[in-house]
Amino acid sequence: MSAPQTSNPLRPTACPGLLRIVRALDGGICRVKLTGGAISARQAVVVADAAERHAGGVIEATNRANLQIRGIGSEQSALIDSLLAADLGPRNAASDDVRNLMLSPAAGIDRQRLIDTRPLAGQILATLQGDERFHDLSAKFAVQLDGGEALAMLEHPHDLWLSTFAREGELRLAFGLAGCPTEAPAGSVALEDGHALVVAVLELFLELARPEQTRMRHLLAEQTLENLRVRLSERVSIQAVTDWRRIADPGVLHIGAHSQSETGLAYVGAVPPLGRLDPATLRGAAQLAETFGDGTLRLTPWQSLLLPNIPEEHCVQVIQRLEQLGLLCHADQALTRMIACTGSNGCGKSSAETKGDALQLAALLHRHGLALSVHLSGCPRSCAAAHTAPATLLAVAPGHYDLYFRDAAQAGFGTLHARNLTIEAVAALLDARSRSPFDA
């Protein structure tokens, strides 16, 4: 792939991209946006090589199913060129920011799926990159496409979400604005109108939003949902949805081996501790995908990875090999449920070294036999988690955190439960809470 044209300057934003390296305390950050979270084994090796040769060797799985390379020094051009040569970049420089379309990591192979979302996703991504009007969207403006899979992240808010459902023998796409698929839909469209709906929503947003209104929630703060729905219905046929909600599967389906829709095949999910991979681990996972699977990896919004299309008789061996690489493949391991931002070692805004504190907390919870979903954030921005975790630790000083519990009635992290706790105190409190018969 040749380098994208750069006649249009890259927009100023704090969000890293492949072509825009953003500085942090530990060096530059490059974000590699993956189509549907998928990357070939060959491309994964290129990412590993780039991180090793041109950066600090730290690779992160993000909560939008992408990859980041950290610690980039002076060799930015060499790193970018190597990634572009592996076809890991946008069609043109102006479209890198807008490739924010999230699918299920099991798109096309999930046993519960109603449709394979990948063809429609390809149409949407081609439009986002090819239509210059949409290059004006914020680098954070995001779309989610859900095919009814059991493995689906349903807690991350998106500017536009689409979710497949069946009604009277017809498959349709429910949709919503500035929210999650588990919320009440704004309406639905025929499956064949999915692409037209996305275009209509983006066009309407750009027509109505002022420059400072970069997200759909900003527009909805002064425009009613009903008004937007009426305006959209002038462009695409919309029906009301009153008797359907997307229901989340309570299983931990991104970890371990799970059967696919095709008999005899499974995907295997593995979690890099705290979302971080080193080059050797990524290369090793890529080799396993080549040897036992179809030569691809899929990143997930849980900051983990899947190896799809593994013959079921090889799953035990693949899990053993992944564990030898340092990846976690069992949901009862405390560290599989832990989320932590970069922390003060790499970010000047962080009040604590969250990665190290998370490792300490995971070890303490493991002693108590607990595997709880906990998010450690070094500052209120919550960069590591796009959703509200059941328990959030907000750093107030090195090694000290305020503890919040998720509460649907409270915005942000939820309800403040205790202040200025050490990691040991947090572990003791979470242990006591888990044993309480009054704990909801």
Side-chain angles (χ1 to χ4, degrees):
M1 173 184 175
S2 59
Q5 297 298 311
T6 56
S7 56
N8 295 324
L10 298 176
R11 73 183 79 189
T13 174
C15 288
L18 187 142
L19 306 174
R20 179 181 50 253
I21 309 297
V22 173
R23 300 298 301 177
L25 286 182
D26 57 349
I29 305 171
C30 174
R31 181 172 297 160
V32 184
K33 294 186 177 180
L34 306 176
T35 301
I39 186 171
S40 71
R42 177 186 63 85
Q43 290 173 320
V45 170
V46 170
V47 172
D49 290 346
E52 192 169 65
R53 294 172 182 170
H54 309 301
V58 175
I59 304 162
E60 293 180 326
T62 78
N63 59 35
R64 295 288 181 184
N66 295 312
L67 287 172
Q68 286 187 168
I69 298 174
R70 297 191 69 94
I72 303 167
S74 60
E75 299 184 21
Q76 294 186 8
S77 295
L79 179 140
I80 291 171
D81 287 345
S82 67
L83 298 174
L84 289 175
D87 199 23
L88 286 166
R91 288 186 181 179
N92 51 71
S95 67
D96 190 24
D97 283 338
V98 298
R99 297 184 296 144
N100 301 323
L101 175 61
M102 193 166 81
L103 309 181
S104 162
I109 61 173
D110 192 290
R111 295 179 70 180
Q112 190 174 296
R113 69 178 174 87
L114 297 174
I115 65 167
D116 183 348
T117 55
R118 292 173 295 179
L120 177 54
Q123 282 185 282
I124 294 169
L125 284 169
T127 298
L128 285 170
Q129 293 192 83
D131 193 323
E132 293 185 2
R133 296 174 300 169
F134 301 142
H135 299 171
D136 290 330
L137 291 168
S138 162
K140 294 182 180 295
F141 197 98
V143 179
Q144 180 175 11
L145 176 58
D146 162 31
E149 300 89 353
L151 179 61
M153 169 53 79
L154 303 177
E155 294 186 294
H156 287 189
H158 281 74
D159 296 278
L160 167 64
W161 60 260
L162 303 96
S163 186
T164 313
F165 73 107
R167 185 168 68 181
E168 298 178 354
E170 178 191 11
L171 291 178
R172 296 183 64 82
L173 285 168
F175 72 94
L177 306 177
C180 303
T182 52
E183 299 170 359
S188 75
V189 298
L191 204 56
E192 60 269 23
D193 289 335
H195 178 261
L197 173 70
V198 173
V199 171
V201 169
L202 300 184
E203 288 176 339
L204 186 60
F205 176 82
L206 290 173
E207 289 170 15
L208 298 179
R210 298 189 304 274
E212 67 273 16
Q213 294 174 316
T214 57
R215 305 297 301 275
M216 186 64 74
R217 66 176 184 270
H218 302 150
L219 184 60
L220 283 171
E222 64 178 42
Q223 295 271 349
T224 67
L225 178 60
E226 180 58 29
N227 179 52
L228 294 184
R229 184 164 41 212
V230 169
R231 300 281 291 269
L232 286 172
S233 65
E234 296 170 355
R235 308 176 189 222
V236 62
S237 178
I238 293 173
Q239 292 183 8
V241 181
T242 58
D243 56 353
W244 176 86
R245 293 287 189 282
R246 180 65 158 97
I247 299 174
D249 190 306
V252 185
L253 300 177
H254 64 284
I255 303 173
H258 299 275
S259 296
Q260 296 179 186
S261 55
E262 184 176 347
T263 302
L265 293 179
Y267 66 80
V268 175
V271 179
L274 302 177
R276 285 201 165 175
L277 296 146
D278 59 38
T281 301
L282 184 54
R283 287 193 197 99
Q287 181 60 55
L288 290 174
E290 288 273 21
T291 302
F292 296 99
D294 63 0
T296 67
L297 302 167
R298 300 190 186 190
L299 277 294
T300 86
W302 294 273
Q303 296 178 276
S304 61
L305 55 86
L306 303 184
L307 277 66
N309 295 308
I310 305 292
E312 289 184 337
E313 63 267 24
H314 295 315
C315 286
V316 172
Q317 183 180 359
V318 169
I319 287 174
Q320 291 173 343
R321 297 275 292 274
L322 289 168
E323 290 178 329
Q324 290 170 2
L325 292 170
L327 297 167
L328 309 172
C329 298
H330 297 280
D332 60 355
Q333 295 171 282
L335 203 51
T336 62
R337 310 293 187 92
M338 208 71 63
I339 305 170
C341 66
T342 299
S344 55
N345 284 350
C347 177
K349 297 183 183 296
S350 179
S351 297
E353 208 289 274
T354 52
K355 295 285 191 190
D357 290 339
L359 292 173
Q360 181 187 358
L361 179 60
L364 291 170
L365 293 179
H366 179 72
R367 293 177 197 170
H368 294 301
L370 299 175
L372 305 176
S373 297
V374 184
H375 167 214
L376 287 81
S377 188
C379 79
R381 294 185 304 164
S382 187
C383 295
H387 67 287
T388 301
T392 296
L393 297 176
L394 177 61
V396 294
H400 289 75
Y401 295 81
D402 290 344
L403 173 61
Y404 294 80
F405 289 119
R406 183 164 59 190
D407 182 345
Q410 297 286 335
F413 296 129
T415 300
L416 177 62
H417 183 78
R419 291 187 181 275
N420 199 29
L421 299 175
T422 64
I423 292 299
E424 293 84 354
V426 170
L429 192 154
L430 292 177
D431 178 46
R433 182 179 172 91
S434 71
R435 300 174 190 278
S436 169
F438 304 106
D439 180 21

